[in-house]
Amino acid sequence: LTQELSTACASMETAVAWWRADGTYESAINGLAGVSEGLTSFSTGRVGAGSFRFTGSNAVVVADSPLLDLTAAEPFVLEGWFRTPVSAHPLLTLVSKQQRSGPVTTGYALRLSQGILQLVLDDGQSATVLHDLPSQDLRDGRWHHFMVGKDRQNTLAAWVDGRMVIGGGAIPLTGNHANDAALRIGDDGDGAVDAAWVGEIDEIVMYRSPLLGTRATAAYRAGAHGHCASELTFHPVQPRFEPFASNWVARDNGVVG
């Protein structure tokens, strides 16, 4: 049994997508519907009623939306839980949005490389950039929490299991990785590389605000209490997100977490 560290749910403020994996492939925010490629079933989750279960030959695929892009100008944070068994799989993809045209790739992916969390970035012009996010080997059959994205300095920040593993403004995230590809949960869509996930993925959330340590810690400590669904409110997005106006986003209702 897992001892929860908090009795409070985690804030959903500025969230633009939330795949709860509780028997549906659709995001609870903005109606970003996913479809199963291969047979993606549901299993016991870390949060709520379930999680996506992956066998290495399936994925959840979500149609392209600007909400899901990593751009130079806008905040971007990706969060979730995962569990994968002890294995020799060298590459395991959690989430990817990558467009390939011959030898050129544009987009991003978050994966495990030899058990270490790794952010993959391509701007379509220069060589692929790999950012290893230091941790122990996470292929241990246990649930792990991650939150990765831009901090207030527009630089890379990452938290694993409530602990900061990279930050401090050392790595700028200023490239444009926007593309027209679908978002994929559970693989990277590259048939030439065996990088599909084996195990469970739960509670994938995307935010449009800088990554703060208080949020990362609160989300991890919330554990099975998950996110505050009561915060979901329909209202227009601020003008700087004009392409997404009148979409569902999460608004802070004053819930601590």
Side-chain angles (χ1 to χ4, degrees):
L1 296 177
T2 301
Q3 178 66 43
E4 305 303 346
L5 301 176
S6 172
T7 58
C9 58
S11 175
M12 292 295 292
E13 183 181 3
T14 76
V16 295
W18 178 20
W19 286 276
R20 306 179 73 174
D22 290 350
T24 177
Y25 305 120
E26 183 173 336
S27 167
I29 306 173
N30 284 321
L32 300 168
V35 297
S36 175
E37 186 176 280
L39 182 59
T40 304
S41 59
F42 298 93
S43 183
T44 302
R46 178 67 180 93
V47 179
S51 64
F52 296 130
R53 183 175 184 272
F54 299 96
T55 61
S57 60
N58 57 303
V60 174
V61 182
V62 183
D64 174 46
S65 166
L67 288 167
L68 309 176
D69 280 326
L70 172 55
T71 68
E74 296 168 354
F76 181 89
V77 174
L78 182 63
E79 180 202 357
W81 289 89
F82 66 82
R83 179 172 64 181
T84 189
V86 177
S87 71
H89 286 273
L91 294 176
L92 294 160
T93 302
L94 284 159
V95 178
S96 68
K97 192 175 188 297
Q98 296 173 302
Q99 187 168 28
R100 297 178 177 84
S101 179
V104 178
T105 300
T106 304
Y108 64 88
L110 187 66
R111 66 189 186 185
L112 294 186
S113 176
Q114 301 296 344
I116 305 300
L117 204 61
Q118 183 180 71
L119 179 63
V120 182
L121 298 176
D122 289 282
D123 62 10
Q125 300 178 11
S126 50
T128 298
V129 177
L130 304 176
H131 295 298
D132 288 331
L133 311 176
S135 68
Q136 76 275 17
D137 190 334
L138 300 174
R139 298 169 297 179
D140 58 8
R142 301 177 180 176
W143 283 105
H144 294 284
H145 179 264
F146 66 88
M147 190 173 277
V148 178
K150 299 181 182 183
D151 60 17
R152 283 175 169 167
Q153 303 174 69
N154 223 27
T155 58
L156 177 62
W159 292 68
V160 176
D161 293 339
R163 181 176 63 90
M164 187 175 72
V165 297
I166 196 165
I171 303 174
L173 286 184
T174 56
N176 183 17
H177 308 283
N179 59 69
D180 299 326
L183 179 85
R184 304 180 68 89
I185 303 173
D187 79 1
D188 65 355
D190 185 356
V193 178
D194 182 10
W197 190 263
V198 177
E200 291 80 36
I201 298 175
D202 198 9
E203 290 285 294
I204 296 295
V205 187
M206 291 186 176
Y207 303 91
R208 288 295 185 182
S209 60
L211 198 167
L212 302 178
T214 50
R215 164 169 275 176
T217 302
Y220 170 66
R221 289 173 64 88
H225 297 289
H227 298 89
C228 302
S230 61
E231 293 184 6
L232 301 185
T233 307
F234 187 81
H235 69 101
V237 186
Q238 297 301 317
R240 66 193 178 102
F241 299 123
E242 286 179 355
F244 318 138
S246 297
N247 278 316
W248 278 90
V249 299
R251 183 173 64 191
D252 186 5
N253 265 359
V255 178
V256 176

